[in-house]
Each structure stands twice: as C-alpha cells, then as structure tokens.
Amino acid sequence: MWRFEPILKPTIWGGLRIAPFKGLRPGAERVGESWELSGVEGCESVVADGPEAGLSLSGLLHKYGPAVLGERNYKKFGDRFPLLVKFIDAEEDLSVQVHPGDEMAVELGQINGKSEMWYILEAGRDSRLALGFNRSLTPAEIEELCASDRIEEALNYVHPHPDDVYLVPAGRIHAIGAKVMLIEIQQTSDASFRIYDYHRTDADGRERELHIQQARRAVNLDDTDCGPIPFVAQRDIPINVVRRPYFTTNIMVLEDEVMRDYAELDSFVVLIVAAGSGRLICGADAVANEPTIMDVHQGETILVSASARGLTIIPGESGMKLLETYVG
C-alpha cells in the first residue's frame, strides 16, 4: 500500500477548503484542485512515505509492474497509471466544458479521452451542476448559442447534495458550480475543451482560452436528462455506483471491521477516504514480504497493489466512508 504527496493546484475559481479537509496547514492561496493520484506527464504523484518514499508513480509501476497494476492492466497501460484522482473545491463556477472520447483524443495526438465521475462532499444551498442539455440541439443551434454567449440557456442544471454521485462520460457538456466540493475519478488525461468561461480575467486582465471548435466536435448534442446515479448506502457493505470500461467505483460506509478480497480483480485498488478515519491492514503480497499496516484519515488516497490478497479495514470510533475504485 502507498500514499502520495498531494499536488495542490491554485486556480482563479478555487477556495480554501481542501487544506483543512485533508488535515494540511491552510495557505493564503485559493486551491481549486488537489491531484491525489496522478500519472499525468509533468505532474506525477510521488510516494509520500515508506521504503519507496520519493519514487514517482511511473517509477513504482516500472519497479513492480503487474504486481501493482494487474496483468491485464499492465499489458494495456504499461508504466502509465490509468486513473487520475482529484479533490476539487469550487468557490466560484468552473467553466462550461466538454471532454473528448478516445477516438477524438487519439486524432489530436493524445493517448486517450476523458470520462469521469463526481462524488459530492459539500454543496451550498444554491449550488448547481450543469450536466448535459435541457433539450437536444442541432449543430446550428449550438453554434449560435456559443457565438452569442447564451450557452447557459441550453444547459441542464441539477442541485447537488452531499453523497450524490454523477457520471460525466466523454461528450457530456458540464460545469461544476460555486460552493461545491467533490471527489473526481477520471481517465488519465488533462484534455478539456472550454466552451464558455463567463469572460473572467486573470491578474493580467486576460481571459482564458476557449476551444469552441474542438468542443463542438466532442459534444453530444442529444445528451439530456442527466441526474445523479441512484443508490442506497448500506452499512459495512460495498455498494457499486459506477461500472464502466474505464473504472468501477464502490461506496463503503463503515462502522465495523470488514475484510476485502481482491484476488479475482486482477487490478490495483484505490481507496479514497471521504470521511472519518481508520486503519488498513494488508497481508503480505508480491510487493511486501510481510503485512502492511497504515493509519488513514479523511482526505487521504491509498493505492493497494493488485497482488494484495486480503485487506482488513478497521474504521475509527466515528466510522469511515470510503470510495473504492479499480480498472477491471
């Protein structure tokens, strides 16, 4: 098991909630994102502690290969970790944007597209998310809406609540609204096409670049009626909320000790602590010759190797809420 140094990213729309949520010393900068587990080139995660402290994520995969990723995943992804995990704190509205699918991304010289999911941590009373359109559009209609800065008129807005889960597949137009804090799990990609950004300017008075032509190619104009994924959490039982080719995610609300057996997955597992604290005990595997014990708390993200053959999760006195995600 490994934890990683968070990569904190200041943004013009970010807030001040990520540091206290993660138990870090607050800073004066507005931080919009904490990249928890990243294989993005130039922005790779680094192991925080233990024997591999200071080793990059790709270095970890190069060292252990399929013992970490799983045989099937290692054949497909090699030393490139396939998921990017973030905490996002939106003090202000994020831009209206869309992500490309795999085919378009490859055409543009990238390795893959970007599908993602959101788990809501906090939301203001008037917070909203844009997800898809409120009606099907024609190419001519979206061109006119973009040209006249009226794209918001066609967006489907939903009001998020803590513990809501939303899927954002490639091609779905979307925007995270003000006062929302969430966990994002996505394909490893930083490809986003901004279609509208409220004419905001940076400290130098410059507006951020838009990508209208690329967005119009990527967007699904018939994507409507997008809402939260329905599920009912159950104590001490993993509940599946997303099952896609790119990742599968379960939610666990824990009050008592549970055992997880990943022997049949042939995949790494990422555990994201959404609330509470506890202890993880991983049996000896192909990476560690003896059991590994790790105390974890809210805001931490842990990578469990594919060779793990038994994980005991012991929640603290106040319980623990986990997101469990893998590719397989």
Side-chain angles (χ1 to χ4, degrees):
M1 294 187 293
W2 301 270
R3 76 180 106 221
F4 298 81
E5 298 286 353
I7 303 170
L8 303 180
K9 291 183 170 287
T11 64
I12 61 175
W13 44 262
L16 300 173
R17 291 181 290 183
I18 284 179
F21 179 81
K22 289 180 58 62
L24 304 175
R25 180 176 298 176
E29 281 189 304
R30 295 170 57 170
V31 174
E33 299 183 350
S34 175
W35 287 24
E36 296 291 298
L37 190 54
S38 167
V40 174
E41 186 177 355
C43 205
E44 270 195 79
S45 293
V46 172
V47 178
D49 50 24
E52 281 89 22
L55 189 65
S56 69
L57 180 55
S58 62
L60 190 72
L61 301 186
H62 183 71
K63 182 177 181 178
Y64 295 115
V68 174
L69 277 193
E71 295 285 350
R72 181 179 58 252
N73 286 333
Y74 196 70
K75 287 180 181 178
K76 183 175 182 179
F77 301 109
D79 294 340
R80 184 174 186 267
F81 194 72
L83 297 183
L84 173 57
V85 177
K86 305 176 182 178
F87 292 112
I88 294 179
D89 176 16
E91 180 65 21
E92 300 177 12
D93 292 337
L94 272 66
S95 61
V96 179
Q97 57 187 255
V98 65
H99 306 313
D102 290 342
E103 184 176 346
M104 180 177 177
V106 170
E107 286 180 20
L108 297 175
Q110 302 186 36
I111 295 176
N112 55 255
K114 182 176 175 182
S115 289
E116 63 192 32
M117 63 158 284
W118 298 336
Y119 174 84
I120 306 300
L121 294 167
E122 299 179 19
R125 184 176 61 182
D126 298 321
S127 293
R128 62 181 188 174
L129 304 171
L131 283 168
F133 296 106
N134 55 30
R135 64 185 188 280
S136 292
L137 298 177
T138 65
E141 284 176 315
I142 194 168
E143 183 171 353
E144 194 278 328
L145 288 168
C146 290
S148 58
D149 286 345
R150 293 169 41 238
I151 190 64
E152 290 180 288
E153 295 179 9
L155 298 181
N156 171 58
Y157 284 103
V158 298
H159 295 283
H161 301 90
D163 300 321
D164 279 356
V165 174
Y166 296 89
L167 185 65
V168 189
R172 175 166 292 171
I173 197 167
H174 61 277
I176 300 172
K179 311 300 182 185
V180 174
M181 186 173 174
L182 56 80
I183 297 169
E184 181 174 280
I185 301 169
Q186 59 161 92
Q187 288 177 270
T188 291
S189 170
D190 204 21
S192 295
F193 300 141
R194 281 189 294 271
I195 199 167
Y196 182 63
D197 196 34
Y198 319 101
H199 295 288
R200 283 188 293 216
T201 57
D202 61 19
D204 298 320
R206 293 190 296 261
E207 293 187 14
R208 291 201 294 173
E209 180 184 5
L210 300 181
H211 317 96
I212 303 297
Q213 297 306 315
Q214 298 98 316
R216 283 169 49 198
R217 279 190 59 201
V219 71
N220 178 357
L221 296 177
D222 294 315
D223 190 26
T224 60
D225 299 323
C226 310
I229 296 172
F231 73 97
V232 178
Q234 297 186 48
R235 193 184 77 179
D236 302 325
I237 298 175
I239 300 299
N240 178 249
V241 290
V242 173
R243 188 178 300 277
R244 306 286 284 188
Y246 308 116
F247 51 80
T248 293
T249 301
N250 305 318
I251 289 176
M252 294 191 288
V253 179
L254 305 179
E255 295 184 12
D256 296 314
E257 177 179 318
V258 299
M259 289 284 297
R260 298 293 288 144
D261 182 2
Y262 302 131
E264 301 300 320
L265 288 185
D266 189 27
S267 173
F268 63 90
V269 175
V270 179
L271 298 176
I272 308 162
V273 187
S277 61
R279 173 168 289 184
L280 308 178
I281 304 175
C282 185
D285 57 21
V287 174
N289 294 322
E290 57 186 26
T292 304
I293 300 174
M294 184 179 291
D295 291 326
V296 296
H297 59 75
Q298 174 181 285
E300 289 194 312
T301 299
I302 308 300
L303 175 62
V304 181
S305 74
S307 59
R309 289 297 179 264
L311 180 72
T312 302
I313 307 174
I314 307 172
E317 291 184 2
S318 61
M320 185 161 55
K321 189 177 297 180
L322 293 174
L323 270 64
E324 176 188 69
T325 191
Y326 54 88
V327 178

